[in-house]
Amino acid sequence: MIEQQIFMIFAGVFCGSFLFGSLLPRVFKKIDVTELAEDHNPGTANAVKYAGVPVGLLCLAGDILKGALPVHSAIRMGLATESLFPLIMSAPVFGHAYSLFHHGKGGKAIAVSFGVLIGLLPLNTELLALLCFLYLLNSALKIRPHTRRTRVTFLVFLTGTVTLMLVRRLPVEFGLGAILISCIVVHKNSVKQQKFEEKEKMNKIEEIVY
């Protein structure tokens, strides 16, 4: 069993490392959205903006599937109650955030996180419902910028996950996996926000100088 768990962890990181938001616009439109976009993020929103809705939807589907399939496969293999299942859950998210194929650079890991939670169905619905609710709520509150909204969403999601674990509404393996995912996404978006703010400061300095 331990060999299977380790294999699925590596498989999840490998799948997650395919950045469809970068790959598909290159294939279909011959453009690099990471160069065109202000935030340089290889995500669905930038794919839609620069490569069009059809390509963007393909990117979204790819990001969701690369999160869902490894987790669903691990469950089918009987690994849902094993000790390393939290790492299996978080592996696609880690791969997307720190891609093996892009020198450790990656995306914000939002769609792939939803994909992982979709992969838990039908064993667990609470986590997916919670994350969907929080994203809709924070979108309605218009928290800006997007990286801050994502950090707030996943911090509250982490808190909600711990609460579900405490009231015994969530298996420990699923809860720990969701906590790991939250930590990865929060850290990744904190780094992106810091880089964005540093770039803004440099632009202001250049405007003053010139």
Side-chain angles (χ1 to χ4, degrees):
M1 279 293 189
I2 189 67
E3 292 83 3
Q4 288 181 317
Q5 294 178 73
I6 292 173
F7 173 79
M8 291 308 299
I9 291 170
F10 281 104
V13 173
F14 181 80
C15 290
S17 293
F18 286 95
L19 303 182
F20 292 103
S22 175
L23 175 63
L24 296 185
R26 288 176 184 270
V27 172
F28 292 110
K29 298 292 184 176
K30 311 301 181 186
I31 61 173
D32 183 358
V33 298
T34 62
E35 292 295 330
L36 297 173
E38 185 178 3
D39 61 0
H40 306 295
N41 185 59
T44 299
N46 285 335
V48 169
K49 182 177 180 179
Y50 295 102
V53 173
V55 174
L57 291 178
L58 284 176
C59 295
L60 176 62
D63 283 346
I64 290 175
L65 285 173
K66 74 184 185 184
L69 290 179
V71 173
H72 182 70
S73 298
I75 292 174
R76 292 288 299 272
M77 294 166 65
L79 302 179
T81 57
E82 296 295 328
S83 59
L84 296 185
F85 189 73
L87 294 179
I88 295 174
M89 280 181 61
S90 60
V93 179
F94 182 85
H96 182 91
Y98 306 99
S99 174
L100 295 174
F101 310 130
H102 294 265
H103 308 290
K105 297 179 181 179
K108 297 175 181 176
I110 300 168
V112 66
S113 296
F114 276 98
V116 168
L117 302 185
I118 290 171
L120 294 177
L121 300 176
L123 293 183
N124 178 270
T125 59
E126 288 89 349
L127 288 173
L128 179 61
L130 176 61
L131 189 58
C132 287
F133 170 76
L134 291 175
Y135 246 101
L136 290 174
L137 176 62
N138 287 336
S139 295
L141 294 175
K142 297 181 179 179
I143 298 174
R144 296 290 187 273
H146 189 269
T147 49
R148 181 175 292 115
R149 183 197 311 167
T150 300
R151 293 202 311 274
V152 171
T153 299
F154 276 85
L155 284 172
V156 179
F157 176 67
L158 188 155
T159 303
T161 297
V162 172
T163 302
L164 288 173
M165 292 173 66
L166 290 175
V167 298
R168 300 182 183 278
R169 289 292 304 273
L170 187 66
V172 173
E173 294 82 8
F174 293 1
L176 292 177
I179 289 171
L180 286 175
I181 289 170
S182 299
C183 291
I184 293 169
V185 175
V186 169
H187 178 264
K188 183 65 180 184
N189 283 269
S190 296
V191 171
K192 281 188 171 290
Q193 179 62 25
Q194 183 180 6
K195 290 181 178 179
F196 178 78
E197 290 175 354
E198 289 175 353
K199 183 178 179 181
E200 287 290 297
K201 289 180 181 178
M202 290 301 297
N203 289 339
K204 289 180 180 179
I205 292 173
E206 290 177 359
E207 288 177 3
I208 293 172
V209 172
Y210 296 105

